[in-house]
Amino acid sequence: MRRRMVAALCAACLSLTGCGGSPWSNYRALEELLPVQTMGFDRREEQMLLTVAAPGDSPDSNTLLSAPGETVAAAAETLRNRGRRQELFFPQVRFALVGPQAARQGLEEIFDWFAHSGRTRLDLPLWILREGSAQELILGGGTADTGITGALEALQRHNRAMPTLLDTARQLRRTGAAACPVLTVVTEGDTLLPRADGFAVLRPDGLADYLTEEESLGTALLLGRRDSLALYPEEGILTVRPLRLSHRWEGRRLEVVLHYAGRLSQAPEGAETALEAAVNDHLAACLSAALDRAAAWEADFLNVTRDGVFPAGATWNITVRGKLLPPAGREAQA
Amino acid sequence: MKPHILSARQRLALLWLGAVSPLFQRLPGALTGAGAALWLSPVFALVPLGLTALLLHRFLRPLPGAGLGEGLCRCLGAGAGRTMALIYGLWAFALCAAALRAGAERFRWAVFPESDATPFLLVMTALGLLGALGTLRTLGRMAEVVLPFLLLGLGLVLLPALTDIEADSLLAMRAENILPAAQGGLTVTNTAGAALFAAFLPAEDAGERRYWLRIAGGWALLGLILCAAVLGRLGAELTEELPYPFFVMIRDLRLLRLLERAEALLCAQWVVTDFLLTAVLLCAGGRCLTLCFTGRNKATPAAVLPGAAAAVLTAWLAPEGLWAVLPTGNALLLFGGLTAALAIGRLRRRI
């Protein structure tokens, strides 16, 4: 009797695992799922417009869907209930795009959805669009075979140190302001392509503004969010790789020291010294521009203060140190 | 080898594994107000955990082959001792309800968001009953076997997480964070304290002082690694905001650049610790009740089954935050109750 009871209990336990064959199964065959890879968020007339891109039935097609809703969760539910054969599957989202209107109203609702309902990773890249809408970019972006997801993958490969949704949410909570990467849309033929276009500054209540190119570069350097950058001075072309950035407050003065390594790819012989000085000045100007902007807006999106507040009359002393190496061929000759 | 008595190693495994589930459930989210200093809470917890460990050692030292229930009767006399055993027994069933509820909620939140909690409650209670009504030796052996696998699983999760933390998040503490962090030490003690009910199960060896201190130190170290990993990845503000920060953190983990989105696998591993904790609490509760009413230290079905039914019913009807409320009484009951009993025992020259 006791053995039978144990066997019955074991059978009951196995049937409650949720695996295939059990009455409470949540098993879905892979073909029945539509894994969403890119999500776009727009605001239209007080409604959230959700647009998603997922791989299609054949390798060179994409499934693109869009639906409005009062909230992100409602829009996602509307998309799910479209009566498709395949069920939308959100946990594998890889990229998020936010239109300018949605960004102006803040990212909190979007973050909450990702953290609580979406069950997605939080370290996925999130971009704010400078103009247009996420829907336009997702529906018409990228090439026919890879779609917008392929174009965003290429963009991510270019800079792996980009801030993620988690970084943005953390920074917003820590200092009340965060820098978020921006995309601009360019048209090539009849295809829309995303291009990285610096940073925008977010506050808890929404988008503060977009940064200029110089401020964006300074922001990327201060946040350690730039693998390398190409500069095109008159004398040639060079690639700069930031090595180390340190900062510390001495009273009201912030001491910033940036170390970098540079490699010339085109430059006349003997131009290294002049170019080095020019690069140092340029990088110092970028860092200073970003700090000036943060202090003017009283928004520490650079994470340089302890509690998010710049001291009154704060100043900066910026030191840039680096070594430019000659083009690889010339170095070998030497 | 007696089937109804644990070896010292088996009790150590049960004590250790029993604390894993509540610690990962509540830490570091329950350490509110400590900001960037919340990782210090497990360090502060070393004091109350160490004192509780010494107290248990003192209690069990003269009673090899017995549990805390007999210790209470010896210190307080049969009448008062049995009454105390009844209180501890009821408390064990209440904690069991909280553990069942928390396990089901965690599964729903992390893996099966649109499901009902009832199947999880029923399955876990059924498994817990199997453990509680079986021989103690089998339960202890299972804990012994599972412990290295669980440590391996924890290592695979926590070590990659520790390599990717922002040191600033841990060092940005302020003076006003220290007091809440110290108070958090009590929360850590209360949370891990649920597993101390394993001390009601009889074991061959009462254990040296070092044995008990090693258990307390292990809990504090686990809490420290857990808090540092979550805080370093999510930051203090997000850690306080999210309901299960640890389970949010593991969504982003990549194991050896090979495996990602492994939270379902890890949650499944936690089921084993839930099962062991449930079984220990049901067994300890049943033993306390039997001791109270019959004077024998044995988990009889007549005591365990009604207790399990009450626990599952409470877990089913109780609000979501049950786990947040109940363990706060652990310190009072375990530390306060045992200290008082020990003091009375000393006065009566019985221990």
Side-chain angles (χ1 to χ4, degrees):
Chain A
M1 183 62 190
R2 190 185 164 90
R3 279 187 183 174
R4 278 184 200 163
M5 264 182 66
V6 171
L9 269 173
C10 288
C13 295
L14 286 175
S15 78
L16 289 168
T17 56
C19 298
S22 103
W24 294 275
S25 170
N26 70 343
Y27 170 81
R28 301 277 184 283
L30 211 54
E31 306 82 60
E32 293 171 18
L33 293 176
L34 196 60
V36 174
Q37 293 191 315
T38 304
M39 289 184 80
F41 302 87
D42 292 297
R43 277 268 168 203
R44 294 261 172 90
E45 296 162 1
E46 298 305 311
Q47 283 216 315
M48 180 63 79
L49 180 68
L50 184 62
T51 310
V52 300
D57 293 332
S58 58
D60 58 349
S61 72
N62 289 288
T63 305
L64 306 169
L65 300 165
S66 195
E70 289 290 316
T71 60
V72 178
E77 207 49 43
T78 312
L79 276 181
R80 270 190 187 165
N81 297 332
R82 281 278 170 87
R84 290 184 56 84
R85 185 175 58 84
Q86 291 159 305
E87 186 184 326
L88 279 182
F89 185 68
F90 289 103
Q92 297 292 345
V93 175
R94 296 172 57 198
F95 304 107
L97 302 172
V98 181
Q101 291 304 322
R104 279 184 213 292
Q105 300 208 10
L107 296 190
E108 276 313 295
E109 190 196 338
I110 295 170
F111 176 76
D112 280 349
W113 185 82
F114 274 106
H116 299 282
S117 317
R119 302 185 306 287
T120 60
R121 301 174 67 95
L122 294 181
D123 63 350
L124 55 95
L126 177 136
W127 284 280
I128 291 176
L129 299 186
R130 191 174 283 272
E131 60 218 2
S133 71
Q135 186 193 34
E136 281 169 18
L137 183 57
I138 291 176
L139 297 184
T143 55
D145 51 346
T146 61
I148 185 65
T149 306
L152 294 173
E153 264 172 8
L155 211 57
Q156 191 191 24
R157 268 199 299 274
H158 187 65
N159 187 8
R160 292 188 182 279
M162 218 164 22
T164 62
L165 173 62
L166 178 62
D167 296 322
T168 307
R170 272 181 64 160
Q171 181 68 20
L172 265 177
R173 279 155 183 78
R174 187 185 293 167
T175 61
C180 191
V182 173
L183 283 186
T184 197
V185 183
V186 293
T187 312
E188 280 185 13
D190 53 356
T191 309
L192 302 178
L193 287 176
R195 290 273 182 272
D197 191 14
F199 284 90
V201 174
L202 284 167
R203 299 251 200 199
D205 56 350
L207 178 68
D209 211 342
Y210 297 93
L211 298 178
T212 63
E213 192 180 338
E214 199 177 41
E215 291 163 353
S216 291
L217 181 52
T219 301
L221 291 170
L222 278 159
L223 290 174
R225 296 293 180 186
R226 196 70 191 244
D227 296 333
S228 65
L229 59 134
L231 297 175
Y232 305 95
E234 284 176 10
E235 295 87 344
I237 301 174
L238 56 98
T239 310
V240 169
R241 195 158 52 85
L243 294 178
R244 193 171 69 251
L245 185 134
S246 59
H247 59 79
R248 68 188 155 86
W249 286 94
E250 285 185 1
R252 291 178 178 179
R253 196 176 72 230
L254 181 68
E255 296 285 343
V256 180
V257 182
L258 170 69
H259 292 265
Y260 71 89
R263 166 75 72 178
L264 288 162
S265 43
Q266 283 178 30
E269 209 160 332
E272 285 89 354
T273 315
L275 270 173
E276 201 171 287
V279 169
N280 289 356
D281 289 348
H282 177 62
L283 294 180
C286 290
L287 291 169
S288 180
L291 286 163
D292 288 343
R293 173 63 68 200
W297 283 352
E298 293 178 351
D300 182 17
F301 53 88
L302 303 169
N303 201 21
V304 290
T305 62
R306 196 171 164 78
D307 47 10
V309 182
F310 281 91
T315 56
W316 3 101
N317 182 27
I318 296 166
T319 312
V320 179
R321 292 186 189 131
K323 180 79 183 157
L324 284 188
L325 298 172
R330 202 186 299 160
E331 192 181 38
Q333 282 173 10
Chain B
M1 234 188 281
K2 294 177 187 170
H4 290 289
I5 198 161
L6 294 168
S7 71
R9 262 176 79 94
Q10 288 173 344
R11 183 167 59 189
L12 183 135
L14 278 175
L15 280 163
W16 221 83
L17 287 170
V20 166
S21 189
L23 280 176
F24 277 76
Q25 185 88 21
R26 298 197 72 218
L27 297 191
L31 306 173
T32 49
L38 65 81
W39 62 276
L40 287 177
S41 292
V43 180
F44 285 116
L46 266 174
V47 179
L49 279 174
L51 286 173
T52 312
L54 291 177
L55 195 64
L56 284 171
H57 166 250
R58 193 81 187 81
F59 232 95
L60 293 172
R61 193 176 54 177
L63 297 163
L68 267 184
E70 285 96 332
L72 287 170
C73 290
R74 185 180 167 125
C75 287
L76 301 174
R82 286 184 185 192
T83 312
M84 280 293 278
L86 176 69
I87 295 169
Y88 280 108
L90 294 176
W91 188 251
F93 288 129
L95 279 179
C96 180
L100 286 170
R101 177 81 191 191
E105 290 300 335
R106 194 190 58 233
F107 246 102
R108 286 180 64 199
W109 197 84
V111 192
F112 301 103
E114 282 146 31
S115 60
D116 186 8
T118 317
F120 300 107
L121 293 177
L122 292 176
V123 169
M124 199 49 71
T125 313
L127 289 173
L129 274 174
L130 279 179
L133 294 174
T135 61
L136 267 186
R137 204 84 187 183
T138 314
L139 189 65
R141 183 77 192 121
M142 185 188 168
E144 248 183 332
V145 171
V146 163
L147 186 61
F149 289 104
L150 191 97
L151 288 177
L152 181 71
L154 286 180
L156 278 175
V157 176
L158 291 176
L159 292 181
L162 278 177
T163 57
D164 198 21
I165 58 173
E166 279 188 20
D168 283 356
S169 300
L170 305 182
L171 301 176
M173 64 183 84
R174 299 150 189 252
E176 61 261 31
N177 293 143
I178 301 298
L179 186 63
Q183 287 169 342
L186 277 181
T187 309
V188 177
T189 311
N190 279 324
T191 306
L196 284 175
F197 275 86
F200 278 91
L201 311 181
E204 284 166 357
D205 187 359
E208 294 296 317
R209 188 178 293 169
R210 199 191 302 165
Y211 167 91
W212 289 100
L213 287 175
R214 204 188 299 157
I215 293 167
W219 285 343
L221 182 66
L222 179 67
L224 174 66
I225 294 173
L226 170 65
C227 289
V230 176
L231 182 68
R233 294 271 300 186
L234 299 181
E237 296 80 7
L238 267 182
T239 301
E240 285 193 12
E241 190 181 311
L242 294 166
Y244 300 104
F246 171 73
F247 292 97
V248 172
M249 184 198 76
I250 59 174
R251 277 187 209 163
D252 291 347
L253 282 184
R254 289 182 177 88
L255 302 181
L256 308 170
R257 296 190 179 184
L258 291 173
L259 182 66
E260 53 181 71
R261 298 313 304 261
E263 68 265 25
L265 280 175
L266 294 165
C267 267
Q269 198 185 25
W270 258 249
V271 173
V272 181
T273 59
D274 280 337
F275 155 68
L276 286 171
L277 179 64
T278 311
V280 164
L281 290 170
L282 286 177
C283 193
R287 279 173 180 273
C288 287
L289 258 58
T290 317
L291 184 70
C292 171
F293 294 113
T294 69
R296 288 185 304 138
N297 185 0
K298 197 180 175 211
T300 55
V304 175
L305 288 174
V312 76
L313 201 66
T314 312
W316 193 55
L317 295 173
E320 255 184 54
L322 186 66
W323 201 213
V325 182
L326 269 184
T328 43
N330 265 346
L332 187 69
L333 204 67
L334 283 167
F335 190 71
L338 292 182
T339 310
L342 189 69
I344 294 168
R346 297 279 287 180
L347 283 175
R348 297 178 67 220
R349 297 180 186 279
R350 300 299 302 272
I351 198 159

